[in-house]
Amino acid sequence: MADEALVVIDLQNDFCPGGALAVNGGDEIVPLVNDLIRRTEHVVLTQDWHPAGHSSFASSHPGSQPFTMIDMPYGPQTLWPDHCIQGSLGSDFHSGLAWTKAELVIRKGFRPAIDSYSAFFENDHKTPTGLAGYLRERGIDTVTLVGLATDFCVAFSALDAVKQGFATTVRLDACRGIDLNGSVEAMLKRMREAGVVLEDQASD
């Protein structure tokens, strides 16, 4: 499996129960993700890594509430509670995650004026993180994505992976979603239509 990589998306404290932007059941996937890490030769992690006062935080826009939409220069942007601030406990990987095997950690969302859901591109869909180049240089052409959250960072990463020419699978049993106004179902549909393989071994 030397040409395959497991990409673990944002399995951080702030996205787990008790965190600033907790995904329901976000910590439940840790044992399964650890099992996949053990069985995969190449492991990459992403880490949401925002400076304080990031433009995607509702607190940066007086009068705005979390989970509402605004227009940014690069397009529509959901506003979030302050989360995954650089160096904070919330930005750390979940303490149960067997992360030490990772060959690469891609930090995203560190540019103050633009958010980044995808492991491959900022939300302008133009500014690359460097992940595609890294994988290609390592001879990797197949990726499996797991992590948080299904309908945002996992889905946008999967869509970009397909666009970049990688054979892409999302293990839904190793993801959990936020589900804003039906966003999980909408993003599952988008992923299916784009050619992402959706696996859910929990329901097999």
Side-chain angles (χ1 to χ4, degrees):
M1 305 303 210
D3 58 352
E4 293 183 21
L6 178 72
V7 183
V8 181
I9 305 288
D10 298 358
L11 234 176
Q12 295 164 259
N13 289 327
D14 267 348
F15 295 125
C16 291
L21 183 47
V23 179
N24 198 22
D27 54 347
E28 297 169 359
I29 65 173
V30 171
L32 179 52
V33 171
N34 286 345
D35 189 46
L36 292 167
I37 288 172
R38 276 191 288 274
R39 293 191 277 126
T40 308
E41 187 174 342
H42 301 296
V43 178
V44 173
L45 306 181
T46 69
Q47 188 174 25
D48 222 25
W49 195 247
H50 295 304
H54 192 268
S55 62
S56 70
F57 294 166
S59 62
S60 299
H61 303 270
S64 295
Q65 295 298 313
F67 310 111
T68 56
M69 296 285 286
I70 62 164
D71 283 319
M72 297 288 270
Y74 51 85
Q77 171 67 49
T78 301
L79 294 178
W80 304 107
D82 293 24
H83 67 281
C84 294
I85 293 170
Q86 296 169 357
S88 68
L89 188 62
S91 70
D92 287 349
F93 294 119
H94 186 282
S95 60
L97 181 65
W99 59 267
T100 53
K101 188 178 174 184
E103 300 174 354
L104 178 71
V105 176
I106 290 279
R107 284 181 167 158
K108 58 193 186 61
F110 56 81
R111 293 178 174 87
I114 187 167
D115 205 7
S116 183
Y117 297 156
S118 169
F120 292 90
F121 289 95
E122 306 283 358
N123 280 8
D124 62 0
H125 308 294
K126 289 187 285 212
T127 306
T129 64
L131 178 56
Y134 174 85
L135 294 173
R136 284 196 195 102
E137 199 164 304
R138 300 295 306 276
I140 292 164
D141 60 13
T142 302
V143 294
T144 297
L145 286 86
V146 298
L148 306 172
T150 314
D151 40 339
F152 285 92
C153 296
V154 173
F156 282 94
S157 298
L159 292 169
D160 280 343
V162 168
K163 278 187 202 147
Q164 292 295 303
F166 296 97
T168 307
T169 298
V170 170
R171 277 286 299 266
L172 294 175
D173 49 337
C175 300
R176 292 292 182 273
I178 295 175
D179 208 14
L180 285 182
N181 306 313
S183 53
V184 167
E185 204 46 57
M187 293 309 288
L188 291 178
K189 183 171 184 282
R190 274 185 68 182
M191 286 192 281
R192 270 190 214 100
E193 289 172 352
V196 177
V197 175
L198 301 178
E199 284 187 5
D200 188 350
Q201 299 199 358
S203 63
D204 284 356

